[in-house]
Each structure stands twice: as C-alpha cells, then as structure tokens.
Short mmCIF file of all heavy atoms in Angstrom, two decimals:
data_model
loop_
_atom_site.label_atom_id
_atom_site.label_comp_id
_atom_site.label_asym_id
_atom_site.label_seq_id
_atom_site.Cartn_x
_atom_site.Cartn_y
_atom_site.Cartn_z
N ALA O 1 -1.55 -9.23 0.00
CA ALA O 1 -2.18 -9.88 -1.15
C ALA O 1 -3.29 -9.10 -1.74
O ALA O 1 -3.44 -9.05 -2.92
CB ALA O 1 -2.74 -11.25 -0.68
N SER O 2 -3.98 -8.30 -0.90
CA SER O 2 -5.13 -7.49 -1.37
C SER O 2 -5.34 -6.31 -0.50
O SER O 2 -5.15 -6.38 0.72
CB SER O 2 -6.38 -8.36 -1.41
OG SER O 2 -7.46 -7.67 -1.84
N VAL O 3 -5.71 -5.20 -1.17
CA VAL O 3 -6.22 -4.01 -0.43
C VAL O 3 -7.66 -3.94 -0.90
O VAL O 3 -8.00 -3.96 -2.12
CB VAL O 3 -5.48 -2.80 -0.62
CG1 VAL O 3 -4.10 -2.80 0.10
CG2 VAL O 3 -5.26 -2.38 -2.08
N ASP O 4 -8.60 -3.82 0.02
CA ASP O 4 -10.00 -3.97 -0.31
C ASP O 4 -10.81 -2.63 -0.05
O ASP O 4 -10.53 -2.00 0.99
CB ASP O 4 -10.57 -5.08 0.63
CG ASP O 4 -9.91 -6.41 0.23
OD1 ASP O 4 -8.84 -6.35 -0.23
OD2 ASP O 4 -10.49 -7.44 0.53
N HIS O 5 -11.71 -2.38 -0.89
CA HIS O 5 -12.59 -1.19 -0.99
C HIS O 5 -12.01 -0.29 -2.10
O HIS O 5 -12.59 -0.11 -3.15
CB HIS O 5 -12.74 -0.44 0.32
CG HIS O 5 -13.72 -1.16 1.24
ND1 HIS O 5 -15.08 -1.29 0.99
CD2 HIS O 5 -13.44 -1.80 2.46
CE1 HIS O 5 -15.60 -1.96 2.02
NE2 HIS O 5 -14.65 -2.30 2.89
N CYS O 6 -10.87 0.43 -1.82
CA CYS O 6 -10.21 1.28 -2.88
C CYS O 6 -11.18 2.25 -3.54
O CYS O 6 -11.15 2.39 -4.76
CB CYS O 6 -9.57 0.34 -3.89
SG CYS O 6 -8.28 -0.69 -3.27
N THR O 7 -12.01 2.84 -2.72
CA THR O 7 -12.99 3.81 -3.30
C THR O 7 -12.39 5.21 -3.60
O THR O 7 -12.68 5.78 -4.56
CB THR O 7 -14.19 3.95 -2.30
OG1 THR O 7 -14.70 2.65 -1.94
CG2 THR O 7 -15.30 4.76 -2.91
N HIS O 8 -11.50 5.59 -2.71
CA HIS O 8 -10.89 6.97 -2.84
C HIS O 8 -9.36 6.85 -3.03
O HIS O 8 -8.62 6.61 -2.10
CB HIS O 8 -11.21 7.79 -1.59
CG HIS O 8 -12.68 7.98 -1.32
ND1 HIS O 8 -13.43 8.96 -1.87
CD2 HIS O 8 -13.47 7.21 -0.56
CE1 HIS O 8 -14.67 8.85 -1.51
NE2 HIS O 8 -14.79 7.85 -0.70
N LEU O 9 -9.00 6.91 -4.30
CA LEU O 9 -7.56 6.63 -4.68
C LEU O 9 -6.92 7.83 -5.31
O LEU O 9 -7.57 8.49 -6.21
CB LEU O 9 -7.41 5.42 -5.62
CG LEU O 9 -7.95 4.08 -5.09
CD1 LEU O 9 -7.76 2.99 -6.16
CD2 LEU O 9 -7.34 3.70 -3.79
N SER O 10 -5.73 8.11 -4.95
CA SER O 10 -4.93 9.15 -5.55
C SER O 10 -4.14 8.48 -6.75
O SER O 10 -4.07 7.24 -6.89
CB SER O 10 -3.88 9.72 -4.62
OG SER O 10 -2.87 8.75 -4.17
N ASP O 11 -3.55 9.37 -7.62
CA ASP O 11 -2.69 8.84 -8.65
C ASP O 11 -1.59 7.96 -8.13
O ASP O 11 -1.18 6.96 -8.72
CB ASP O 11 -2.14 9.94 -9.50
CG ASP O 11 -3.24 10.59 -10.36
OD1 ASP O 11 -4.32 10.03 -10.53
OD2 ASP O 11 -3.01 11.73 -10.87
N ALA O 12 -0.97 8.44 -6.96
CA ALA O 12 0.07 7.69 -6.34
C ALA O 12 -0.37 6.30 -5.85
O ALA O 12 0.38 5.38 -5.88
CB ALA O 12 0.68 8.52 -5.21
N ASP O 13 -1.55 6.26 -5.33
CA ASP O 13 -2.14 4.91 -4.86
C ASP O 13 -2.19 3.95 -6.04
O ASP O 13 -1.82 2.80 -5.99
CB ASP O 13 -3.52 5.11 -4.28
CG ASP O 13 -3.51 5.84 -3.00
OD1 ASP O 13 -2.47 5.78 -2.23
OD2 ASP O 13 -4.60 6.48 -2.70
N ILE O 14 -2.64 4.44 -7.19
CA ILE O 14 -2.82 3.58 -8.39
C ILE O 14 -1.55 3.22 -8.99
O ILE O 14 -1.25 2.07 -9.36
CB ILE O 14 -3.71 4.30 -9.41
CG1 ILE O 14 -5.15 4.39 -8.91
CG2 ILE O 14 -3.66 3.59 -10.74
CD1 ILE O 14 -6.15 5.15 -9.85
N ASP O 15 -0.56 4.14 -8.98
CA ASP O 15 0.82 3.82 -9.40
C ASP O 15 1.38 2.75 -8.51
O ASP O 15 2.10 1.79 -8.97
CB ASP O 15 1.70 5.07 -9.44
CG ASP O 15 1.29 6.04 -10.53
OD1 ASP O 15 0.53 5.67 -11.44
OD2 ASP O 15 1.68 7.22 -10.38
N ALA O 16 1.21 2.87 -7.20
CA ALA O 16 1.78 1.85 -6.30
C ALA O 16 1.17 0.53 -6.53
O ALA O 16 1.89 -0.52 -6.55
CB ALA O 16 1.58 2.31 -4.85
N LEU O 17 -0.05 0.41 -6.71
CA LEU O 17 -0.75 -0.84 -6.97
C LEU O 17 -0.30 -1.41 -8.27
O LEU O 17 -0.04 -2.70 -8.39
CB LEU O 17 -2.27 -0.65 -6.99
CG LEU O 17 -2.93 -0.46 -5.68
CD1 LEU O 17 -4.39 0.08 -5.85
CD2 LEU O 17 -3.01 -1.74 -4.85
N ALA O 18 -0.24 -0.62 -9.36
CA ALA O 18 0.18 -1.08 -10.66
C ALA O 18 1.59 -1.68 -10.59
O ALA O 18 1.91 -2.59 -11.40
CB ALA O 18 0.05 0.00 -11.68
N ALA O 19 2.38 -1.13 -9.83
CA ALA O 19 3.84 -1.62 -9.76
C ALA O 19 4.03 -2.72 -8.73
O ALA O 19 5.20 -3.22 -8.54
CB ALA O 19 4.73 -0.42 -9.30
N SER O 20 2.98 -3.26 -8.18
CA SER O 20 3.00 -4.31 -7.14
C SER O 20 2.22 -5.50 -7.63
O SER O 20 1.59 -5.59 -8.67
CB SER O 20 2.49 -3.80 -5.84
OG SER O 20 1.02 -3.72 -5.88
N GLU O 21 2.35 -6.56 -6.74
CA GLU O 21 1.50 -7.78 -6.91
C GLU O 21 0.30 -7.74 -6.08
O GLU O 21 -0.50 -8.70 -6.06
CB GLU O 21 2.31 -9.01 -6.55
CG GLU O 21 3.49 -9.21 -7.52
CD GLU O 21 4.24 -10.51 -7.31
OE1 GLU O 21 3.86 -11.23 -6.32
OE2 GLU O 21 5.19 -10.79 -8.00
N THR O 22 0.00 -6.59 -5.39
CA THR O 22 -1.22 -6.44 -4.56
C THR O 22 -2.45 -6.25 -5.43
O THR O 22 -2.43 -5.41 -6.37
CB THR O 22 -1.00 -5.23 -3.59
OG1 THR O 22 0.09 -5.52 -2.75
CG2 THR O 22 -2.23 -5.06 -2.75
N VAL O 23 -3.47 -7.02 -5.08
CA VAL O 23 -4.73 -6.94 -5.89
C VAL O 23 -5.62 -5.86 -5.26
O VAL O 23 -5.67 -5.71 -4.01
CB VAL O 23 -5.45 -8.26 -5.83
CG1 VAL O 23 -6.84 -8.24 -6.41
CG2 VAL O 23 -4.60 -9.35 -6.54
N ALA O 24 -6.33 -5.09 -6.07
CA ALA O 24 -7.35 -4.16 -5.62
C ALA O 24 -8.70 -4.93 -5.61
O ALA O 24 -9.17 -5.22 -6.67
CB ALA O 24 -7.39 -2.94 -6.49
N THR O 25 -9.24 -5.16 -4.46
CA THR O 25 -10.51 -5.85 -4.35
C THR O 25 -11.61 -4.87 -4.18
O THR O 25 -11.63 -4.10 -3.20
CB THR O 25 -10.53 -6.90 -3.21
OG1 THR O 25 -9.51 -7.90 -3.48
CG2 THR O 25 -11.87 -7.61 -3.17
N LEU O 26 -12.50 -4.80 -5.12
CA LEU O 26 -13.64 -3.83 -5.11
C LEU O 26 -14.87 -4.46 -4.64
O LEU O 26 -15.15 -5.65 -4.94
CB LEU O 26 -13.80 -3.18 -6.51
CG LEU O 26 -12.56 -2.69 -7.20
CD1 LEU O 26 -12.89 -2.11 -8.53
CD2 LEU O 26 -11.81 -1.72 -6.28
N LEU O 27 -15.64 -3.73 -3.82
CA LEU O 27 -16.82 -4.25 -3.10
C LEU O 27 -18.08 -3.45 -3.38
O LEU O 27 -18.51 -2.69 -2.52
CB LEU O 27 -16.47 -4.28 -1.60
CG LEU O 27 -15.12 -4.91 -1.27
CD1 LEU O 27 -14.82 -4.77 0.24
CD2 LEU O 27 -15.12 -6.44 -1.55
N PRO O 28 -18.58 -3.50 -4.55
CA PRO O 28 -19.65 -2.54 -4.96
C PRO O 28 -20.95 -2.74 -4.11
O PRO O 28 -21.78 -1.79 -4.04
CB PRO O 28 -19.92 -2.94 -6.49
CG PRO O 28 -19.42 -4.32 -6.58
CD PRO O 28 -18.24 -4.43 -5.77
N GLY O 29 -21.12 -3.90 -3.53
CA GLY O 29 -22.28 -4.01 -2.62
C GLY O 29 -22.27 -3.01 -1.47
O GLY O 29 -23.33 -2.53 -0.99
N ALA O 30 -21.07 -2.65 -0.99
CA ALA O 30 -20.97 -1.69 0.04
C ALA O 30 -21.39 -0.33 -0.46
O ALA O 30 -22.08 0.46 0.28
CB ALA O 30 -19.47 -1.63 0.60
N GLU O 31 -20.95 0.07 -1.66
CA GLU O 31 -21.41 1.41 -2.17
C GLU O 31 -22.94 1.38 -2.41
O GLU O 31 -23.58 2.40 -2.17
CB GLU O 31 -20.65 1.69 -3.45
CG GLU O 31 -19.31 2.25 -3.22
CD GLU O 31 -18.27 1.21 -2.69
OE1 GLU O 31 -18.34 0.05 -3.18
OE2 GLU O 31 -17.45 1.59 -1.79
N PHE O 32 -23.53 0.32 -2.91
CA PHE O 32 -24.91 0.21 -3.12
C PHE O 32 -25.67 0.43 -1.83
O PHE O 32 -26.63 1.14 -1.77
CB PHE O 32 -25.26 -1.14 -3.72
CG PHE O 32 -26.70 -1.41 -3.87
CD1 PHE O 32 -27.33 -1.04 -5.12
CD2 PHE O 32 -27.48 -2.05 -2.90
CE1 PHE O 32 -28.73 -1.22 -5.27
CE2 PHE O 32 -28.81 -2.26 -3.13
CZ PHE O 32 -29.43 -1.84 -4.26
N SER O 33 -25.20 -0.27 -0.75
CA SER O 33 -25.91 -0.22 0.51
C SER O 33 -25.70 1.00 1.32
O SER O 33 -26.53 1.34 2.21
CB SER O 33 -25.51 -1.50 1.34
OG SER O 33 -26.22 -1.57 2.53
N THR O 34 -24.66 1.79 1.05
CA THR O 34 -24.37 3.04 1.81
C THR O 34 -24.61 4.31 0.95
O THR O 34 -24.39 5.32 1.50
CB THR O 34 -22.90 2.99 2.30
OG1 THR O 34 -21.98 2.93 1.22
CG2 THR O 34 -22.72 1.78 3.21
N ARG O 35 -25.04 4.13 -0.30
CA ARG O 35 -25.20 5.28 -1.19
C ARG O 35 -23.93 6.08 -1.22
O ARG O 35 -23.96 7.30 -1.17
CB ARG O 35 -26.39 6.09 -0.77
CG ARG O 35 -27.72 5.56 -1.24
CD ARG O 35 -28.89 6.50 -1.00
NE ARG O 35 -30.11 5.92 -1.50
CZ ARG O 35 -31.28 6.26 -1.19
NH1 ARG O 35 -31.45 7.22 -0.21
NH2 ARG O 35 -32.36 5.74 -1.76
N SER O 36 -22.80 5.39 -1.41
CA SER O 36 -21.49 6.09 -1.51
C SER O 36 -21.03 6.02 -2.97
O SER O 36 -21.52 5.24 -3.77
CB SER O 36 -20.55 5.39 -0.53
OG SER O 36 -20.87 5.39 0.78
N PRO O 37 -20.10 6.87 -3.28
CA PRO O 37 -19.50 6.71 -4.67
C PRO O 37 -18.85 5.39 -4.87
O PRO O 37 -18.21 4.85 -4.01
CB PRO O 37 -18.39 7.82 -4.65
CG PRO O 37 -18.74 8.72 -3.48
CD PRO O 37 -19.41 7.89 -2.56
N TYR O 38 -19.01 4.83 -6.12
CA TYR O 38 -18.42 3.63 -6.45
C TYR O 38 -16.93 3.81 -6.82
O TYR O 38 -16.56 4.86 -7.28
CB TYR O 38 -19.16 2.98 -7.65
CG TYR O 38 -20.48 2.44 -7.33
CD1 TYR O 38 -21.61 3.22 -7.38
CD2 TYR O 38 -20.62 1.11 -6.94
CE1 TYR O 38 -22.92 2.68 -7.16
CE2 TYR O 38 -21.88 0.65 -6.66
CZ TYR O 38 -22.95 1.44 -6.71
OH TYR O 38 -24.21 0.91 -6.42
N PRO O 39 -16.11 2.73 -6.55
CA PRO O 39 -14.76 2.83 -7.00
C PRO O 39 -14.68 2.94 -8.57
O PRO O 39 -15.57 2.51 -9.28
CB PRO O 39 -14.12 1.50 -6.57
CG PRO O 39 -15.07 1.01 -5.55
CD PRO O 39 -16.44 1.50 -5.90
N ASP O 40 -13.61 3.56 -9.06
CA ASP O 40 -13.44 3.70 -10.50
C ASP O 40 -12.57 2.54 -11.02
O ASP O 40 -11.37 2.61 -11.15
CB ASP O 40 -12.76 5.02 -10.82
CG ASP O 40 -12.72 5.36 -12.32
OD1 ASP O 40 -12.99 4.49 -13.10
OD2 ASP O 40 -12.44 6.55 -12.67
N ALA O 41 -13.26 1.45 -11.26
CA ALA O 41 -12.57 0.22 -11.69
C ALA O 41 -11.92 0.50 -13.07
O ALA O 41 -10.78 -0.06 -13.30
CB ALA O 41 -13.55 -0.93 -11.85
N ARG O 42 -12.50 1.36 -13.91
CA ARG O 42 -11.89 1.53 -15.23
C ARG O 42 -10.45 2.20 -15.10
O ARG O 42 -9.49 1.79 -15.78
CB ARG O 42 -12.82 2.47 -16.06
CG ARG O 42 -12.34 2.80 -17.44
CD ARG O 42 -12.71 1.66 -18.43
NE ARG O 42 -11.61 0.66 -18.59
CZ ARG O 42 -11.87 -0.57 -18.53
NH1 ARG O 42 -13.14 -1.09 -18.36
NH2 ARG O 42 -10.87 -1.43 -18.68
N ARG O 43 -10.39 3.06 -14.15
CA ARG O 43 -9.08 3.77 -13.91
C ARG O 43 -8.06 2.76 -13.42
O ARG O 43 -6.88 2.80 -13.88
CB ARG O 43 -9.27 4.85 -12.83
CG ARG O 43 -8.14 5.75 -12.57
CD ARG O 43 -8.60 6.79 -11.58
NE ARG O 43 -7.51 7.60 -10.98
CZ ARG O 43 -7.48 8.07 -9.73
NH1 ARG O 43 -8.56 7.85 -8.96
NH2 ARG O 43 -6.48 8.81 -9.33
N LEU O 44 -8.45 1.81 -12.59
CA LEU O 44 -7.47 0.86 -12.10
C LEU O 44 -7.07 -0.12 -13.22
O LEU O 44 -5.92 -0.36 -13.39
CB LEU O 44 -8.12 0.06 -10.98
CG LEU O 44 -8.30 0.77 -9.59
CD1 LEU O 44 -9.27 0.09 -8.72
CD2 LEU O 44 -6.92 0.80 -8.95
N LEU O 45 -8.03 -0.56 -13.94
CA LEU O 45 -7.79 -1.56 -15.02
C LEU O 45 -6.89 -0.95 -16.06
O LEU O 45 -5.94 -1.60 -16.60
CB LEU O 45 -9.05 -2.09 -15.61
CG LEU O 45 -9.85 -2.98 -14.68
CD1 LEU O 45 -11.35 -3.10 -15.18
CD2 LEU O 45 -9.23 -4.44 -14.61
N ASP O 46 -7.15 0.27 -16.44
CA ASP O 46 -6.42 0.95 -17.53
C ASP O 46 -4.96 1.18 -17.06
O ASP O 46 -4.05 1.31 -18.00
CB ASP O 46 -7.05 2.26 -17.92
CG ASP O 46 -8.33 2.02 -18.74
OD1 ASP O 46 -8.61 0.89 -19.13
OD2 ASP O 46 -9.05 3.06 -18.88
N ALA O 47 -4.73 1.26 -15.77
CA ALA O 47 -3.34 1.40 -15.27
C ALA O 47 -2.62 0.09 -15.11
O ALA O 47 -1.47 0.06 -14.73
CB ALA O 47 -3.41 2.14 -13.88
#
C-alpha cells in the first residue's frame, strides 16, 4: 500500500512507483531531525 521515506530514489524506483498503486509516503520530520537530505517530492509528483 505504501513505501515510506523514499529519500534516495533512482529513475527506476520512480518509474516503478508511477506504474503501480503503491503510495510514496514522505516523512520530512525525519529529515529535519536528522539533518538529512529531503525527498524530492516534486520529482515524484511530476512523474
């Protein structure tokens, strides 16, 4: 139903998600709290 975090994605990962019913659940509180790179939501949405 969902894959969660999705911070580090390849083009193949995004293509697989776009062709499926699986939701990409993004958790920006984790990146805020760990000073990690944020997921690229724009890339996912545009796909």
Side-chain angles (χ1 to χ4, degrees):
S2 179
V3 291
D4 299 21
H5 287 291
C6 295
T7 310
H8 301 274
L9 299 181
S10 67
D11 289 345
D13 293 330
I14 292 178
D15 289 344
L17 286 166
S20 75
E21 296 183 359
T22 298
V23 174
T25 298
L26 309 184
L27 310 169
E31 279 71 41
F32 177 88
S33 183
T34 60
R35 281 191 175 156
S36 300
Y38 286 90
D40 189 346
R42 182 81 270 135
R43 188 176 167 212
L44 286 160
L45 290 163
D46 288 349

